[in-house]
Amino acid sequence: MRRRSLILAAVPAGLATLAACGDDKSDSSKASDSASSSAGATPPPKIVDGPLPAITAGVKFDEKPTVAKGTGEPSDQLAVKTVIAGSGKTVAENDYIQANCLGQIWDSAKVLLNTYDTKKPLFTQLAQGGTIDGWRYALTGKKTGSRVLFSVPPTWAFGKDGDADTGIKGTDTLVFVFDIQDTFNAKSSAKGKDVPQDDAAVPKVGTNTDGKAPSIEIPKSAPPTKLVSNYVIEGDGPKLAADDTVLVQYKGVVWDTGKEFDSSYSRSSLTSFSLQEVVKGWAQGLTGKKVGSRVVIVVPPSLGYGDSPPSGSGIEKDSTMVFSVDIIAKA
């Protein structure tokens, strides 16, 4: 199980189960070897051509699709069709993808997931344990700019128990349309212009963009008592809103010791979260900043953990925390 990020505030488990979720050429010969390399107890599925229900409206990339109800018996394997073949980056296993998606039940066409109406694309990691296996196997190897239609039987979805919270029975086959907008991996970094770091009272952060953790140099002075959030590298993407979901690389250290206590770099994995789920210093420090940027955030105790730091975190009571944050993408 992946370690839970220390930047997250207390969030109930089980939120948004699914959101935690061209050419007509056959996909039967395109099953990804990499997707099967980390399979657990359940063997990987066979990738087959169908059957699959038709997309009856909204046929363009990133246009909300209407998908017909499934007819007859669905495949007990993974039926996959690339409806629109993109020409962008190839999605690899363990990547985070940004995509618009629609999900529904085969038998009833009951919609379970729809990001087109919310205008909030999904971030999901195509890793074992990171999402349902059907997504991982169907989407690994596809290119950004592609629309993929596929069905997932219970074996590679929610199993024989189903998922009561979303109304999925243990016998339900699920149908998905994914419009893959972008893909990101552990080497993804800020992209922009370096900003002078002239304030001697603020930690100095490295500007390397090679996917390795930047250095953080802590001043020998006392920490600031108010929140600090400055650009280290300024990107040219859209600004973050207070309710956005973001994809980031980050590193956190304690001001007093300079000791690292949390880092996405050390896990070789990006982190995705809503700005409404994190400690106040993060939410306030990132709101208004541009995608593509690297930001140094100094979080005083009043906007961090105060006198109640997470057990075993290495953070003492009333500690000031310092973060370097690369804003990779937002939804």
Side-chain angles (χ1 to χ4, degrees), residues 49-104:
D49 298 340
L52 284 166
I55 298 175
T56 58
V59 297
K60 296 179 181 179
F61 181 83
D62 250 358
E63 184 178 15
K64 178 185 174 182
T66 300
V67 181
K69 184 169 67 172
T71 57
E73 288 296 318
S75 175
D76 62 357
Q77 299 298 312
L78 206 65
V80 183
K81 180 180 181 180
T82 301
V83 180
I84 299 172
S87 58
K89 296 178 286 185
T90 299
V91 176
E93 187 175 14
N94 296 317
D95 278 5
Y96 268 91
I97 62 167
Q98 177 178 314
N100 268 320
C101 52
L102 180 83
Q104 63 188 47

CSV table of all heavy atoms in Angstrom, one decimal, residues 49-104:
chain,number,residue,atom,x,y,z
A,49,ASP,N,-11.8,-7.7,-29.1
A,49,ASP,CA,-12.4,-6.6,-29.9
A,49,ASP,C,-13.8,-6.2,-29.4
A,49,ASP,O,-14.2,-5.1,-29.7
A,49,ASP,CB,-12.6,-7.1,-31.4
A,49,ASP,CG,-11.2,-7.4,-32.0
A,49,ASP,OD1,-10.2,-6.9,-31.5
A,49,ASP,OD2,-11.2,-8.1,-33.0
A,50,GLY,N,-14.5,-7.1,-28.8
A,50,GLY,CA,-15.9,-6.8,-28.4
A,50,GLY,C,-16.6,-8.0,-27.8
A,50,GLY,O,-15.9,-8.9,-27.4
A,51,PRO,N,-17.9,-7.8,-27.6
A,51,PRO,CA,-18.8,-6.8,-28.1
A,51,PRO,C,-18.6,-5.5,-27.3
A,51,PRO,O,-18.2,-5.5,-26.1
A,51,PRO,CB,-20.2,-7.4,-27.9
A,51,PRO,CG,-20.0,-8.3,-26.8
A,51,PRO,CD,-18.6,-8.9,-26.9
A,52,LEU,N,-19.0,-4.4,-27.9
A,52,LEU,CA,-19.1,-3.1,-27.3
A,52,LEU,C,-20.3,-2.3,-27.7
A,52,LEU,O,-20.6,-2.4,-28.9
A,52,LEU,CB,-17.8,-2.3,-27.5
A,52,LEU,CG,-16.5,-2.7,-26.8
A,52,LEU,CD1,-15.3,-2.1,-27.4
A,52,LEU,CD2,-16.6,-2.3,-25.3
A,53,PRO,N,-21.0,-1.6,-26.9
A,53,PRO,CA,-22.1,-0.8,-27.3
A,53,PRO,C,-21.6,0.4,-28.1
A,53,PRO,O,-20.4,0.8,-28.1
A,53,PRO,CB,-22.7,-0.3,-26.0
A,53,PRO,CG,-21.6,-0.4,-25.0
A,53,PRO,CD,-20.7,-1.5,-25.4
A,54,ALA,N,-22.5,1.0,-28.9
A,54,ALA,CA,-22.1,2.1,-29.8
A,54,ALA,C,-22.1,3.4,-29.1
A,54,ALA,O,-22.9,3.6,-28.1
A,54,ALA,CB,-23.1,2.1,-31.0
A,55,ILE,N,-21.3,4.3,-29.5
A,55,ILE,CA,-21.4,5.7,-29.1
A,55,ILE,C,-22.3,6.4,-30.1
A,55,ILE,O,-22.0,6.5,-31.3
A,55,ILE,CB,-20.0,6.4,-29.1
A,55,ILE,CG1,-19.1,5.7,-28.1
A,55,ILE,CG2,-20.1,7.9,-28.8
A,55,ILE,CD1,-17.6,6.2,-28.2
A,56,THR,N,-23.5,6.8,-29.6
A,56,THR,CA,-24.5,7.3,-30.5
A,56,THR,C,-24.6,8.8,-30.7
A,56,THR,O,-25.3,9.3,-31.6
A,56,THR,CB,-25.9,6.8,-30.0
A,56,THR,OG1,-26.1,7.3,-28.7
A,56,THR,CG2,-26.0,5.3,-30.0
A,57,ALA,N,-23.9,9.5,-29.8
A,57,ALA,CA,-23.8,11.0,-30.0
A,57,ALA,C,-22.6,11.5,-29.2
A,57,ALA,O,-22.0,10.7,-28.4
A,57,ALA,CB,-25.1,11.6,-29.4
A,58,GLY,N,-22.1,12.7,-29.6
A,58,GLY,CA,-20.9,13.2,-29.0
A,58,GLY,C,-19.7,12.4,-29.4
A,58,GLY,O,-19.0,11.8,-28.6
A,59,VAL,N,-19.5,12.4,-30.7
A,59,VAL,CA,-18.4,11.5,-31.3
A,59,VAL,C,-17.1,12.1,-31.4
A,59,VAL,O,-16.1,11.4,-31.7
A,59,VAL,CB,-18.9,10.9,-32.6
A,59,VAL,CG1,-20.1,10.1,-32.5
A,59,VAL,CG2,-19.1,12.1,-33.6
A,60,LYS,N,-16.9,13.4,-31.1
A,60,LYS,CA,-15.6,14.1,-31.2
A,60,LYS,C,-14.8,13.9,-29.9
A,60,LYS,O,-15.4,13.7,-28.9
A,60,LYS,CB,-15.8,15.5,-31.5
A,60,LYS,CG,-16.5,15.8,-32.9
A,60,LYS,CD,-16.6,17.3,-33.1
A,60,LYS,CE,-17.3,17.6,-34.4
A,60,LYS,NZ,-17.5,19.0,-34.7
A,61,PHE,N,-13.5,14.0,-30.0
A,61,PHE,CA,-12.7,14.0,-28.9
A,61,PHE,C,-13.0,15.1,-27.9
A,61,PHE,O,-13.2,16.2,-28.3
A,61,PHE,CB,-11.2,14.1,-29.3
A,61,PHE,CG,-10.2,14.1,-28.1
A,61,PHE,CD1,-9.8,12.8,-27.6
A,61,PHE,CD2,-9.8,15.2,-27.5
A,61,PHE,CE1,-8.9,12.7,-26.6
A,61,PHE,CE2,-8.9,15.1,-26.4
A,61,PHE,CZ,-8.5,13.9,-25.9
A,62,ASP,N,-13.2,14.7,-26.6
A,62,ASP,CA,-13.5,15.6,-25.5
A,62,ASP,C,-14.9,16.2,-25.6
A,62,ASP,O,-15.3,17.1,-24.8
A,62,ASP,CB,-12.5,16.8,-25.4
A,62,ASP,CG,-11.6,16.6,-24.2
A,62,ASP,OD1,-11.8,15.7,-23.4
A,62,ASP,OD2,-10.7,17.5,-24.0
A,63,GLU,N,-15.7,15.6,-26.4
A,63,GLU,CA,-17.1,15.9,-26.5
A,63,GLU,C,-17.9,14.9,-25.7
A,63,GLU,O,-17.6,13.7,-25.8
A,63,GLU,CB,-17.6,15.9,-27.9
A,63,GLU,CG,-19.1,16.4,-28.1
A,63,GLU,CD,-19.5,16.4,-29.6
A,63,GLU,OE1,-18.8,15.8,-30.4
A,63,GLU,OE2,-20.5,17.0,-29.9
A,64,LYS,N,-18.9,15.3,-24.8
A,64,LYS,CA,-19.6,14.3,-24.0
A,64,LYS,C,-20.2,13.3,-24.9
A,64,LYS,O,-21.1,13.6,-25.7
A,64,LYS,CB,-20.6,15.1,-23.2
A,64,LYS,CG,-21.4,14.1,-22.3
A,64,LYS,CD,-22.6,14.8,-21.6
A,64,LYS,CE,-23.5,13.9,-20.8
A,64,LYS,NZ,-24.6,14.6,-20.1
A,65,PRO,N,-19.9,12.0,-24.7
A,65,PRO,CA,-20.5,10.9,-25.5
A,65,PRO,C,-21.8,10.4,-24.9
A,65,PRO,O,-22.0,10.5,-23.7
A,65,PRO,CB,-19.4,9.8,-25.4
A,65,PRO,CG,-18.8,10.0,-24.1
A,65,PRO,CD,-18.8,11.5,-23.8
A,66,THR,N,-22.7,9.9,-25.7
A,66,THR,CA,-23.8,9.1,-25.3
A,66,THR,C,-23.5,7.7,-25.8
A,66,THR,O,-23.2,7.5,-26.9
A,66,THR,CB,-25.1,9.6,-26.0
A,66,THR,OG1,-25.3,11.0,-25.6
A,66,THR,CG2,-26.3,8.8,-25.5
A,67,VAL,N,-23.6,6.8,-24.8
A,67,VAL,CA,-23.3,5.4,-25.1
A,67,VAL,C,-24.6,4.5,-25.0
A,67,VAL,O,-25.3,4.6,-23.9
A,67,VAL,CB,-22.2,4.9,-24.2
A,67,VAL,CG1,-21.8,3.4,-24.5
A,67,VAL,CG2,-20.9,5.7,-24.3
A,68,ALA,N,-24.8,3.7,-26.0
A,68,ALA,CA,-26.0,2.9,-25.9
A,68,ALA,C,-25.9,1.8,-24.8
A,68,ALA,O,-24.8,1.5,-24.3
A,68,ALA,CB,-26.2,2.2,-27.3
A,69,LYS,N,-27.1,1.3,-24.5
A,69,LYS,CA,-27.1,0.2,-23.5
A,69,LYS,C,-26.5,-1.1,-24.2
A,69,LYS,O,-26.7,-1.3,-25.4
A,69,LYS,CB,-28.5,-0.1,-23.1
A,69,LYS,CG,-28.7,-1.2,-22.0
A,69,LYS,CD,-30.1,-1.2,-21.4
A,69,LYS,CE,-31.1,-1.6,-22.4
A,69,LYS,NZ,-32.4,-1.8,-21.8
A,70,GLY,N,-25.7,-1.8,-23.4
A,70,GLY,CA,-25.2,-3.1,-24.0
A,70,GLY,C,-26.3,-4.1,-24.3
A,70,GLY,O,-27.3,-4.1,-23.7
A,71,THR,N,-26.1,-4.8,-25.4
A,71,THR,CA,-27.0,-5.8,-25.8
A,71,THR,C,-26.3,-7.2,-25.8
A,71,THR,O,-25.2,-7.3,-26.1
A,71,THR,CB,-27.5,-5.6,-27.2
A,71,THR,OG1,-26.4,-5.5,-28.1
A,71,THR,CG2,-28.3,-4.3,-27.3
A,72,GLY,N,-27.1,-8.2,-25.4
A,72,GLY,CA,-26.5,-9.5,-25.3
A,72,GLY,C,-25.5,-9.6,-24.1
A,72,GLY,O,-25.5,-8.8,-23.2
A,73,GLU,N,-24.8,-10.7,-24.1
A,73,GLU,CA,-23.8,-11.0,-23.0
A,73,GLU,C,-22.5,-10.2,-23.3
A,73,GLU,O,-21.9,-10.3,-24.4
A,73,GLU,CB,-23.5,-12.5,-22.9
A,73,GLU,CG,-24.7,-13.3,-22.3
A,73,GLU,CD,-25.0,-12.9,-20.9
A,73,GLU,OE1,-24.0,-12.6,-20.1
A,73,GLU,OE2,-26.2,-12.7,-20.5
A,74,PRO,N,-22.0,-9.5,-22.3
A,74,PRO,CA,-20.7,-8.8,-22.5
A,74,PRO,C,-19.6,-9.9,-22.4
A,74,PRO,O,-19.8,-11.0,-21.9
A,74,PRO,CB,-20.6,-7.8,-21.4
A,74,PRO,CG,-21.4,-8.5,-20.3
A,74,PRO,CD,-22.6,-9.2,-21.0
A,75,SER,N,-18.4,-9.5,-22.9
A,75,SER,CA,-17.2,-10.4,-22.8
A,75,SER,C,-16.8,-10.5,-21.4
A,75,SER,O,-17.0,-9.6,-20.5
A,75,SER,CB,-16.1,-9.8,-23.6
A,75,SER,OG,-14.9,-10.6,-23.4
A,76,ASP,N,-16.3,-11.7,-21.1
A,76,ASP,CA,-15.7,-11.9,-19.7
A,76,ASP,C,-14.3,-11.5,-19.7
A,76,ASP,O,-13.6,-11.7,-18.7
A,76,ASP,CB,-15.9,-13.4,-19.3
A,76,ASP,CG,-15.2,-14.4,-20.2
A,76,ASP,OD1,-14.6,-14.0,-21.2
A,76,ASP,OD2,-15.2,-15.6,-19.8
A,77,GLN,N,-13.8,-11.0,-20.8
A,77,GLN,CA,-12.4,-10.4,-20.9
A,77,GLN,C,-12.5,-8.9,-21.1
A,77,GLN,O,-13.6,-8.3,-20.9
A,77,GLN,CB,-11.6,-11.1,-22.0
A,77,GLN,CG,-11.5,-12.6,-21.8
A,77,GLN,CD,-10.7,-13.0,-20.6
A,77,GLN,OE1,-9.6,-12.4,-20.3
A,77,GLN,NE2,-11.2,-13.9,-19.8
A,78,LEU,N,-11.5,-8.3,-21.4
A,78,LEU,CA,-11.5,-6.8,-21.6
A,78,LEU,C,-11.7,-6.5,-23.1
A,78,LEU,O,-10.8,-6.7,-23.9
A,78,LEU,CB,-10.2,-6.2,-21.0
A,78,LEU,CG,-10.2,-4.8,-20.5
A,78,LEU,CD1,-11.0,-4.7,-19.3
A,78,LEU,CD2,-8.7,-4.3,-20.2
A,79,ALA,N,-12.8,-5.9,-23.4
A,79,ALA,CA,-13.1,-5.5,-24.8
A,79,ALA,C,-12.7,-4.1,-24.9
A,79,ALA,O,-13.1,-3.2,-24.2
A,79,ALA,CB,-14.6,-5.7,-25.1
A,80,VAL,N,-11.8,-3.8,-25.9
A,80,VAL,CA,-11.2,-2.5,-26.0
A,80,VAL,C,-11.2,-2.0,-27.5
A,80,VAL,O,-10.8,-2.8,-28.4
A,80,VAL,CB,-9.7,-2.4,-25.5
A,80,VAL,CG1,-9.1,-1.0,-25.6
A,80,VAL,CG2,-9.6,-3.0,-24.1
A,81,LYS,N,-11.6,-0.8,-27.7
A,81,LYS,CA,-11.6,-0.2,-29.0
A,81,LYS,C,-11.1,1.2,-29.0
A,81,LYS,O,-11.6,2.0,-28.2
A,81,LYS,CB,-13.0,-0.2,-29.7
A,81,LYS,CG,-13.0,0.4,-31.1
A,81,LYS,CD,-14.5,0.3,-31.6
A,81,LYS,CE,-14.5,0.9,-33.0
A,81,LYS,NZ,-15.9,0.8,-33.5
A,82,THR,N,-10.0,1.5,-29.8
A,82,THR,CA,-9.6,2.9,-29.9
A,82,THR,C,-10.4,3.6,-31.0
A,82,THR,O,-10.3,3.3,-32.2
A,82,THR,CB,-8.1,2.9,-30.3
A,82,THR,OG1,-7.3,2.3,-29.3
A,82,THR,CG2,-7.6,4.4,-30.5
A,83,VAL,N,-11.4,4.4,-30.5
A,83,VAL,CA,-12.3,5.0,-31.4
A,83,VAL,C,-11.7,6.2,-32.2
A,83,VAL,O,-11.9,6.4,-33.4
A,83,VAL,CB,-13.5,5.5,-30.6
A,83,VAL,CG1,-14.6,6.2,-31.5
A,83,VAL,CG2,-14.2,4.4,-29.8
A,84,ILE,N,-10.9,7.0,-31.5
A,84,ILE,CA,-10.1,8.0,-32.1
A,84,ILE,C,-8.6,7.8,-31.7
A,84,ILE,O,-8.3,7.7,-30.5
A,84,ILE,CB,-10.5,9.4,-31.6
A,84,ILE,CG1,-12.0,9.7,-32.0
A,84,ILE,CG2,-9.6,10.5,-32.2
A,84,ILE,CD1,-12.5,11.0,-31.4
A,85,ALA,N,-7.7,7.7,-32.6
A,85,ALA,CA,-6.3,7.4,-32.3
A,85,ALA,C,-5.6,8.7,-32.2
A,85,ALA,O,-5.5,9.5,-33.2
A,85,ALA,CB,-5.7,6.5,-33.4
A,86,GLY,N,-5.1,9.0,-31.0
A,86,GLY,CA,-4.3,10.2,-30.8
A,86,GLY,C,-2.8,10.0,-31.3
A,86,GLY,O,-2.4,8.9,-31.6
A,87,SER,N,-2.1,11.1,-31.4
A,87,SER,CA,-0.7,11.1,-31.8
A,87,SER,C,0.3,11.7,-30.8
A,87,SER,O,1.4,12.0,-31.2
A,87,SER,CB,-0.6,11.9,-33.2
A,87,SER,OG,-1.0,13.2,-33.0
A,88,GLY,N,-0.2,11.8,-29.6
A,88,GLY,CA,0.6,12.4,-28.5
A,88,GLY,C,1.5,11.4,-27.8
A,88,GLY,O,1.9,10.4,-28.4
A,89,LYS,N,1.8,11.7,-26.6
A,89,LYS,CA,2.7,10.9,-25.7
A,89,LYS,C,2.0,9.5,-25.5
A,89,LYS,O,0.8,9.4,-25.3
A,89,LYS,CB,3.0,11.6,-24.4
A,89,LYS,CG,3.8,12.8,-24.6
A,89,LYS,CD,4.0,13.5,-23.2
A,89,LYS,CE,2.7,14.2,-22.7
A,89,LYS,NZ,3.0,14.9,-21.5
A,90,THR,N,2.8,8.5,-25.4
A,90,THR,CA,2.3,7.1,-25.0
A,90,THR,C,2.2,7.0,-23.5
A,90,THR,O,3.1,7.4,-22.8
A,90,THR,CB,3.3,6.1,-25.5
A,90,THR,OG1,3.4,6.2,-27.0
A,90,THR,CG2,2.8,4.7,-25.2
A,91,VAL,N,1.0,6.5,-23.1
A,91,VAL,CA,0.8,6.3,-21.7
A,91,VAL,C,1.5,5.0,-21.2
A,91,VAL,O,1.3,4.0,-21.8
A,91,VAL,CB,-0.8,6.2,-21.4
A,91,VAL,CG1,-1.0,5.8,-20.0
A,91,VAL,CG2,-1.5,7.4,-21.9
A,92,ALA,N,2.2,5.1,-20.1
A,92,ALA,CA,2.9,4.0,-19.6
A,92,ALA,C,2.3,3.6,-18.3
A,92,ALA,O,1.6,4.4,-17.6
A,92,ALA,CB,4.4,4.3,-19.3
A,93,GLU,N,2.5,2.3,-17.9
A,93,GLU,CA,2.0,1.9,-16.6
A,93,GLU,C,2.6,2.8,-15.5
A,93,GLU,O,3.8,3.1,-15.6
A,93,GLU,CB,2.3,0.4,-16.4
A,93,GLU,CG,1.6,-0.1,-15.1
A,93,GLU,CD,1.8,-1.6,-14.9
A,93,GLU,OE1,2.6,-2.2,-15.6
A,93,GLU,OE2,1.1,-2.1,-14.0
A,94,ASN,N,1.9,3.1,-14.5
A,94,ASN,CA,2.3,3.9,-13.3
A,94,ASN,C,2.2,5.4,-13.6
A,94,ASN,O,2.4,6.2,-12.7
A,94,ASN,CB,3.7,3.6,-12.8
A,94,ASN,CG,3.8,2.2,-12.2
A,94,ASN,OD1,2.8,1.7,-11.5
A,94,ASN,ND2,4.8,1.4,-12.5
A,95,ASP,N,1.9,5.8,-14.9
A,95,ASP,CA,1.7,7.2,-15.2
A,95,ASP,C,0.4,7.7,-14.5
A,95,ASP,O,-0.5,6.9,-14.3
A,95,ASP,CB,1.5,7.4,-16.7
A,95,ASP,CG,2.9,7.5,-17.4
A,95,ASP,OD1,3.9,7.3,-16.8
A,95,ASP,OD2,2.8,7.7,-18.7
A,96,TYR,N,0.3,9.0,-14.3
A,96,TYR,CA,-0.9,9.6,-14.0
A,96,TYR,C,-1.5,10.1,-15.3
A,96,TYR,O,-0.7,10.7,-16.1
A,96,TYR,CB,-0.7,10.8,-13.1
A,96,TYR,CG,-0.9,10.5,-11.6
A,96,TYR,CD1,0.2,10.2,-10.8
A,96,TYR,CD2,-2.1,10.6,-11.0
A,96,TYR,CE1,0.0,9.9,-9.5
A,96,TYR,CE2,-2.3,10.4,-9.6
A,96,TYR,CZ,-1.2,10.0,-8.9
A,96,TYR,OH,-1.3,9.8,-7.6
A,97,ILE,N,-2.7,9.9,-15.6
A,97,ILE,CA,-3.4,10.4,-16.8
A,97,ILE,C,-4.4,11.5,-16.4
A,97,ILE,O,-5.0,11.4,-15.3
A,97,ILE,CB,-4.0,9.4,-17.7
A,97,ILE,CG1,-5.2,8.6,-17.0
A,97,ILE,CG2,-3.0,8.4,-18.2
A,97,ILE,CD1,-6.0,7.8,-17.9
A,98,GLN,N,-4.6,12.5,-17.3
A,98,GLN,CA,-5.6,13.4,-17.1
A,98,GLN,C,-6.6,13.1,-18.3
A,98,GLN,O,-6.2,13.1,-19.4
A,98,GLN,CB,-5.1,14.8,-17.2
A,98,GLN,CG,-6.1,15.9,-17.2
A,98,GLN,CD,-5.5,17.3,-17.3
A,98,GLN,OE1,-4.5,17.6,-16.6
A,98,GLN,NE2,-6.0,18.2,-18.1
A,99,ALA,N,-7.9,12.9,-17.9
A,99,ALA,CA,-8.8,12.5,-18.9
A,99,ALA,C,-10.2,12.9,-18.6
A,99,ALA,O,-10.6,13.0,-17.4
A,99,ALA,CB,-8.8,11.0,-19.1
A,100,ASN,N,-11.0,13.1,-19.6
A,100,ASN,CA,-12.5,13.2,-19.4
A,100,ASN,C,-13.0,11.8,-19.6
A,100,ASN,O,-12.5,11.0,-20.5
A,100,ASN,CB,-13.1,14.1,-20.4
A,100,ASN,CG,-13.3,15.5,-19.9
A,100,ASN,OD1,-13.6,15.7,-18.7
A,100,ASN,ND2,-13.0,16.5,-20.7
A,101,CYS,N,-14.0,11.4,-18.9
A,101,CYS,CA,-14.5,10.0,-19.0
A,101,CYS,C,-15.9,9.9,-18.6
A,101,CYS,O,-16.5,10.7,-17.8
A,101,CYS,CB,-13.6,9.1,-18.1
A,101,CYS,SG,-13.5,9.7,-16.4
A,102,LEU,N,-16.5,8.9,-19.2
A,102,LEU,CA,-17.9,8.5,-18.9
A,102,LEU,C,-17.9,7.0,-18.5
A,102,LEU,O,-17.3,6.2,-19.3
A,102,LEU,CB,-18.8,8.8,-20.1
A,102,LEU,CG,-20.3,8.4,-19.9
A,102,LEU,CD1,-21.0,9.6,-19.2
A,102,LEU,CD2,-20.9,8.2,-21.3
A,103,GLY,N,-18.6,6.7,-17.5
A,103,GLY,CA,-18.7,5.3,-17.1
A,103,GLY,C,-20.2,4.9,-16.8
A,103,GLY,O,-20.9,5.7,-16.2
A,104,GLN,N,-20.6,3.7,-17.3
A,104,GLN,CA,-21.9,3.3,-17.0
A,104,GLN,C,-22.0,1.7,-17.0
A,104,GLN,O,-21.0,1.0,-17.3
A,104,GLN,CB,-22.9,3.8,-18.1
A,104,GLN,CG,-22.6,3.3,-19.5
A,104,GLN,CD,-23.4,3.9,-20.6
A,104,GLN,OE1,-23.5,5.2,-20.7
A,104,GLN,NE2,-24.0,3.2,-21.5
